[in-house]
Amino acid sequence: MGFQPFGYRFEIFASLPPAEARAAIRSKMTGIFDAKNGARGWIAGPFICLWFSAFDRYGPMLFGLISANNFGTRVHGRAGSDLNGVLMFTLLIPLMAWLLFKMVSEGQASGGQLLVIALVFLVGGPLIYWSAHKERKDAEPLERFLRKALAQPDARSKSTVSARKIQEGLRLNLNGEYLEGPVTDAAIQSALMRVGNRDFMIIESAPQDYLQTACRDGRYILEVRKGGPGEHYQAVRNGGAVGGAAKANDTLTYEEVSAAMASYALGDSLPSLLRLQPMVSGQ
């Protein structure tokens, strides 16, 4: 893996023709001014731009190109952290170099001015690029949104889910706010798609009975509460990761958390790949 301050490359294939692919993406996008996190943005012809937050303009972003191929549609591009800021800083480099040349050649540059410019570009520049490289995976929810939006529904999976009845009385809480509407499998998955870095989500059956997840640096933790303080557990993995790599048994992949939430909503035990261990006091 190389240095990737301009985000990582992604490529998605869909069986839909490009016009239907664009319509499918638009139909699932969050409103641009929606206060809650979620994939939002614009599609102009073959170009697509998505971002995650209505307020954080330096947050995760995705730029891509939608084109036809032999299978239907190909969407490819880059996703990363603060792509607009990194691009703007990069475009400023030749401009500042030209201005510096003019100032020096015309004798207008003082020692203090040269020092400030040097600090900005020799110290600030590497910090900007390193931060963008380090946090590029914050954009994974945007790529995941595209894959979900373009995926064709599995009829067998859909019929299985609809045949199972979700528990009554459940409530969804996203970043401290209860979501309106009935709790369905689609509502749970939609809310989970809006959990980005440093966000959290709760499925609550009672004030002290719930399952919650939080995202930290592209990985997820999962906790279960079954009553009082002594009934607070963390879900850990029994074996290898499902649907992606994870660095430790107490950090989970999106697919593992999605499966656990679906099981919890149905009143089932957690998937067999997970087990619960008591939370340590103060954890």
Side-chain angles (χ1 to χ4, degrees):
M1 179 191 68
F3 188 53
Q4 298 176 312
F6 294 95
Y8 63 90
R9 294 181 183 274
F10 73 88
E11 187 174 47
I12 302 170
F13 294 97
S15 59
L16 298 170
E20 292 184 20
R22 288 192 289 269
I25 296 170
R26 287 192 180 102
S27 70
K28 294 177 173 60
M29 285 167 56
T30 299
I32 288 181
F33 300 109
D34 191 325
K36 296 183 179 66
N37 285 347
R40 69 199 73 208
W42 50 262
I43 300 175
F47 302 102
I48 181 171
C49 175
L50 298 176
W51 57 93
F52 202 65
S53 171
F55 306 105
D56 184 6
R57 61 194 180 108
Y58 302 108
M61 295 192 75
L62 176 150
F63 292 102
L65 185 67
I66 303 172
S67 59
N69 75 341
N70 295 333
F71 302 99
T73 296
R74 175 182 180 234
V75 185
H76 65 101
R78 284 189 172 271
S81 172
D82 189 22
L83 293 188
N84 52 347
V86 173
L87 181 60
M88 184 64 69
F89 181 84
T90 303
L91 293 175
L92 282 175
I93 292 176
L95 175 61
M96 291 303 298
W98 180 80
L99 289 175
L100 182 61
F101 170 76
K102 294 290 289 183
M103 292 170 65
V104 172
S105 63
E106 296 176 4
Q108 298 178 352
S110 66
Q113 291 173 324
L114 292 176
L115 178 61
V116 170
I117 293 174
L119 287 174
V120 169
F121 285 91
L122 297 180
V123 178
L127 288 176
I128 290 173
Y129 288 130
W130 172 249
S131 176
H133 166 76
K134 182 175 180 292
E135 298 175 0
R136 66 195 183 284
K137 288 300 183 179
D138 286 0
E140 283 186 344
L142 295 173
E143 179 192 355
R144 191 178 299 121
F145 163 80
L146 275 184
R147 294 188 183 278
K148 292 277 189 180
L150 295 173
Q152 292 298 294
D154 186 329
R156 291 174 300 176
S157 175
K158 186 175 181 181
S159 62
T160 300
V161 171
S162 61
R164 303 288 305 277
K165 185 174 178 59
I166 287 179
Q167 298 183 75
E168 295 183 0
L170 295 181
R171 303 176 74 189
L172 296 181
N173 185 313
L174 183 61
N175 294 328
E177 294 185 19
Y178 286 102
L179 304 183
E180 297 180 358
V183 176
T184 63
D185 181 69
I188 293 170
Q189 295 305 315
S190 176
L192 185 57
M193 289 288 289
R194 301 179 107 175
V195 177
N197 201 26
R198 295 175 291 277
D199 291 336
F200 68 91
M201 174 188 166
I202 300 171
I203 304 181
E204 178 186 292
S205 57
Q208 296 295 324
D209 194 338
Y210 55 80
L211 178 146
Q212 66 179 359
T213 188
C215 183
R216 299 291 183 270
D217 300 323
R219 298 185 296 276
Y220 298 83
I221 58 173
L222 190 69
E223 298 176 6
V224 176
R225 184 82 167 231
K226 296 183 177 182
E231 296 292 319
H232 199 170
Y233 305 90
Q234 181 171 4
V236 297
R237 188 184 303 103
N238 287 318
V242 172
K247 292 186 176 180
N249 283 340
D250 59 354
T251 57
L252 310 177
T253 65
Y254 173 88
E255 289 77 10
E256 290 167 342
V257 171
S258 177
M261 289 198 157
S263 296
Y264 184 87
L266 293 169
D268 295 341
S269 58
L270 293 181
S272 59
L273 61 94
L274 299 176
R275 60 182 172 83
L276 296 178
Q277 67 178 23
M279 294 282 290
V280 177
S281 179
Q283 198 170 5

